[in-house]
Amino acid sequence: MADLAASDCPAVPGDRSHRARVLMAGLLVSLLAVALLGLSVGATGTSLQDALLTIAAGNEVAMRDRVVLWDIRLPRVLLGILVGAALAVSGAVLQGLFRNPLADPGIVGVSAGASLGAVSAIVLGGALPVAALLGVWLVPAAAFAGAWGATLLLFRIATRQGRTSVATMLLAGIALTALAMALTGLLVYMADDAQLRDFTFWNLGSLAGATWGRLSLAAPMILLPLLAAPLLGHGLNGLSLGEAAAGHMGIPVQRLKQAAVLVVAAATGAAVAVSGGIGFIGIVVPHLIRLISGPDHRMLLPNAALLGAVLLLLADLFSRTVIAPAELPIGIVTAVIGGPFFLFILLRQRGIVDL
Amino acid sequence: MIRRHGLARITAAAVAALMAAAPLPADPAQRIVSVGGSVTEIVYALGQQDRLVARDTTSNHPPEALALPDIGYVRRLSAEGVLSVNPDLILAEDGAGPPEVLELLNETQIPVATVPMGFDRAAVLAKITAVADALGVPEDGAKLAGEVAAAIDTAVAETDLGGKKVLFVLALQGGRVLAGGENTAADGILTLTGAENAVDGFAGYKLLTDEAILTAAPDVILMMDASGTRHISDKDLFAIPAIAATPAARSGAILRMDGMLLLGFSVRTGQAITELSEKLDRIGS
């Protein structure tokens, strides 16, 4: 569609593909700035600038400052970038796949599957012999397994004779979400006080668990789908004309669907496993990008990744400074800011004819 | 002038060299973060509160503790938040976390002393001992443990409740009762006081069915004296038909007590037993 638009009116200054490139440059600069800010600000007075000056003066940075910058803030900022990008790209891919601007990983059961995995680990984990083996990895591993389990099940249900029905996938996603939530409810009922609180906090999401160990495990699992996502751009553009039209354009529709689901499951599964439930990034970010630079997925996907990273870093910055030395779960921040903001976009959109 | 300045510098350098050469004394921790309401109470009871620099959200007694910076909920600490108060010891109840944050704190080599939890007499004494040992005041700890043990023993000896059946209501959720079963602080304090927990057969806090409430037939309903939205009024309670039909409701035997005092299992447990048993005694007759 964007291809057609581009050939109809080539390279006028207000052109959307031009705008998308400018946006991308702006987002890259913002991401760098926000990442540096994230490294410089926190509950302790330690700032990146001071640390660099100390090192430049030939002094070893004091141990506490080194731990704060190197072991706490840096992995956290990197994880924030990855998780924000993963959630936003997953949202954008699903919205393209379902041709519905309201789709997000929650709608296909990935989030509910991850929740079920997490609550199972929290409530029943202690009784399993693997619990001792996995230690602090138990909950993330279970959340990851839950996200993947839900996605694969969904794909199996929606695929008949080698063809996947997107409509069935949507309905099955709603059914699986309901089922997973019911089982989660059962486990919540069985949970004791402490477990209940652990699960509640997990559900609210946090980047506080960012350690180098977790990052090194999550990074490849998030980066791989993130790098693969832009390859889907052309196909998703074609799909926006409808499945039949996309097929006639020579797009392998079935393979595209498989790839899209894989990308979402991998990116969201890993992101949710390390950071818990963080809402609104997946739905708001692609929306914003489309408003600014149009629906061409080839630019939408990378730009959504960048904006997702920027917004999540800002939300994390807020969550760990506003009530310091305590910390607000980041899901609260994204929901409190994202919810009204999303409403605002919707209301504005109604007044704008040309989206 | 210059000479004197030089002399001063030499002196200062010598003093610094001497100080550096002197063996580092194993100074007891002076900047302590206390994590867990019962732990904080013990620190105050030991008179060591001047060494505290921060506390967690659950540390609300004594009221002076509220003046300290709050590093967040006991199970959701923030690594940088804890570091920001520059502690040299973290005194945390068992279950504090999350584990990855403790792992990070571990890397800064700030010692974390873990205080065991539990809901009986032995657990209270073990907590006091653990806190006192971590603070480097074991004699004071032994003395305090002795006093608290005596207070508990006296309180227990004085109670005479004749197996009064008590239902502990933690909260109302959607018109149902969240009650304390086995292995809860509520069950622990009822056992110490010599009262009978009206519900058994499940662990933790659970929502009761109407039939379970009727079967339990409590003589008394016990709740926390919470303020604001967490307060459960008699009206809310009696709106549940099964509750209204219990002996407790019919005789108006509804008790409220300070939550931290009742369920804290700390230095005031003796006082909690006495207060609870007096109230139970009065309300029954």
Side-chain angles (χ1 to χ4, degrees):
Chain A
M1 203 169 174
D3 285 351
L4 294 177
S7 56
D8 280 348
C9 43
V12 283
D15 182 21
R16 271 179 163 163
S17 74
H18 173 70
R19 243 205 261 180
R21 270 184 269 279
V22 173
L23 178 65
M24 184 180 281
L27 284 174
L28 271 171
V29 174
S30 315
L31 181 58
L32 192 68
V34 176
L36 286 175
L37 189 66
L39 283 177
S40 303
V41 182
T44 64
T46 309
S47 83
L48 183 63
Q49 192 195 354
D50 290 347
L52 290 178
L53 286 176
T54 321
I55 294 167
N59 296 331
E60 182 73 359
V61 183
M63 173 150 90
R64 192 201 73 165
D65 290 359
R66 208 172 57 215
V67 168
V68 166
L69 283 170
W70 181 256
D71 290 315
I72 297 179
R73 286 191 199 156
L74 186 56
R76 190 166 181 156
V77 164
L78 294 177
L79 193 71
I81 292 173
L82 288 176
V83 168
L87 295 175
V89 165
S90 297
V93 168
L94 282 176
Q95 290 169 13
L97 183 64
F98 289 121
R99 280 178 280 148
N100 182 339
L102 295 177
D104 81 335
I107 216 162
V108 288
V110 182
S111 311
S115 277
L116 180 58
V119 76
S120 308
I122 290 167
V123 177
L124 308 173
L128 299 174
V130 287
L133 207 71
L134 284 168
V136 295
W137 297 92
L138 180 67
V139 175
F144 187 71
W148 269 95
T151 315
L152 295 180
L153 193 58
L154 185 80
F155 208 77
R156 278 295 294 273
I157 293 171
T159 306
R160 267 284 149 85
Q161 288 151 5
R163 280 181 51 84
T164 304
S165 157
V166 168
T168 310
M169 207 159 32
L170 203 60
L171 290 174
I174 292 166
L176 281 183
T177 298
L179 182 65
M181 278 171 66
L183 292 175
T184 302
L186 180 69
L187 287 163
V188 161
Y189 182 77
M190 290 166 60
D192 70 25
D193 245 26
Q195 292 165 342
L196 196 57
R197 286 201 181 242
D198 281 348
F199 177 63
T200 307
F201 278 111
W202 182 89
N203 234 358
L204 292 172
S206 172
L207 294 177
T211 57
W212 284 113
R214 277 196 184 193
L215 186 68
S216 60
L217 220 76
M221 287 198 286
I222 295 180
L223 272 177
L224 213 64
L226 274 186
L227 295 175
L231 302 177
L232 303 176
H234 175 68
L236 290 174
N237 282 348
L239 204 59
S240 67
L241 298 172
E243 281 191 31
H248 288 308
M249 284 167 69
I251 293 166
V253 175
Q254 181 59 19
R255 291 245 311 274
L256 175 70
K257 288 178 192 165
Q258 285 173 339
V261 168
L262 273 178
V263 161
V264 170
T268 312
V272 172
V274 285
S275 63
I278 299 177
F280 277 101
I281 296 286
I283 197 162
V284 171
V285 169
H287 229 72
L288 272 176
I289 300 289
R290 270 196 300 267
L291 271 183
I292 300 168
S293 62
D296 181 353
H297 284 90
R298 288 170 304 179
M299 291 307 274
L300 170 64
L301 294 174
N303 275 343
L306 290 172
L307 184 61
V310 169
L311 287 187
L312 198 65
L313 281 187
L314 283 175
D316 185 49
L317 205 59
F318 185 79
S319 83
R320 61 194 165 92
T321 50
V322 67
I323 54 164
E327 207 173 286
L328 216 56
I330 194 168
I332 295 178
V333 181
T334 56
V336 164
I337 299 171
F341 189 69
F342 192 54
L343 268 179
F344 168 75
I345 297 174
L346 286 180
L347 290 177
R348 235 192 67 163
Q349 209 174 307
R350 287 179 66 98
I352 295 172
V353 187
D354 178 33
L355 179 72
Chain B
M1 184 77 177
I2 292 164
R3 266 183 62 120
R4 267 168 79 184
H5 186 70
L7 201 65
R9 278 181 70 172
I10 291 166
T11 316
V15 169
L18 267 175
M19 281 173 69
L24 283 171
D27 272 338
Q30 293 303 330
R31 297 186 58 84
I32 298 168
V33 177
S34 173
V35 180
S38 61
V39 173
T40 307
E41 274 195 45
I42 295 170
V43 174
Y44 274 83
L46 288 167
Q48 300 294 321
Q49 62 270 28
D50 293 342
R51 292 158 70 183
L52 291 181
V53 290
R55 46 115 197 164
D56 76 315
T57 309
T58 65
S59 299
N60 55 17
H61 189 88
E64 301 96 271
L66 293 173
L68 292 166
D70 179 358
I71 56 156
Y73 179 66
V74 49
R75 299 179 75 82
R76 272 296 131 170
L77 303 176
S78 137
E80 193 175 343
V82 174
L83 287 179
S84 73
V85 296
N86 253 326
D88 51 12
L89 175 67
I90 296 154
L91 197 54
E93 68 176 40
D94 198 17
E100 55 270 21
V101 165
L102 295 185
E103 214 175 279
L104 278 173
L105 290 173
N106 205 16
E107 279 172 37
T108 61
Q109 284 155 27
I110 297 169
V112 179
T114 305
V115 180
M117 297 296 284
F119 311 120
D120 55 23
R121 179 183 182 275
V124 173
L125 304 184
K127 276 185 195 179
I128 294 172
T129 308
V131 172
D133 286 352
L135 293 174
V137 289
E139 294 87 3
D140 294 351
K143 188 162 160 279
L144 180 64
E147 286 165 14
V148 170
I152 292 176
D153 293 340
T154 311
V156 168
E158 283 171 356
T159 63
D160 178 23
L161 296 165
K164 212 168 262 185
K165 283 208 287 185
V166 180
L167 178 69
F168 178 78
V169 175
L170 182 68
L172 297 184
Q173 281 177 6
R176 293 173 67 194
V177 168
L178 191 63
E182 286 153 19
N183 205 9
T184 60
D187 192 72
I189 197 75
L190 287 175
T191 305
L192 273 178
T193 313
E196 188 190 327
N197 191 346
V199 287
D200 58 12
F202 64 90
Y205 296 94
K206 289 273 137 67
L207 286 173
L208 293 185
T209 63
D210 287 351
E211 292 193 19
I213 295 170
L214 290 173
T215 312
D219 303 310
V220 179
I221 289 170
L222 175 63
M223 290 176 293
M224 288 198 284
D225 196 2
S227 56
T229 53
R230 287 177 56 201
H231 178 77
I232 304 170
S233 69
D234 287 2
K235 193 169 147 269
D236 296 338
L237 203 59
F238 294 151
I240 300 167
I243 287 280
T246 58
R250 284 200 301 267
S251 64
I254 313 293
L255 274 187
R256 289 181 180 81
M257 261 180 80
D258 178 83
M260 194 63 214
L261 171 65
L262 186 68
L263 307 177
F265 279 86
S266 188
V267 288
R268 294 184 296 157
T269 292
Q271 185 193 335
I273 296 168
T274 305
E275 209 174 306
L276 178 59
S277 77
E278 275 172 6
K279 283 186 170 178
L280 285 173
D281 214 27
R282 215 176 309 139
I283 205 160
S285 47

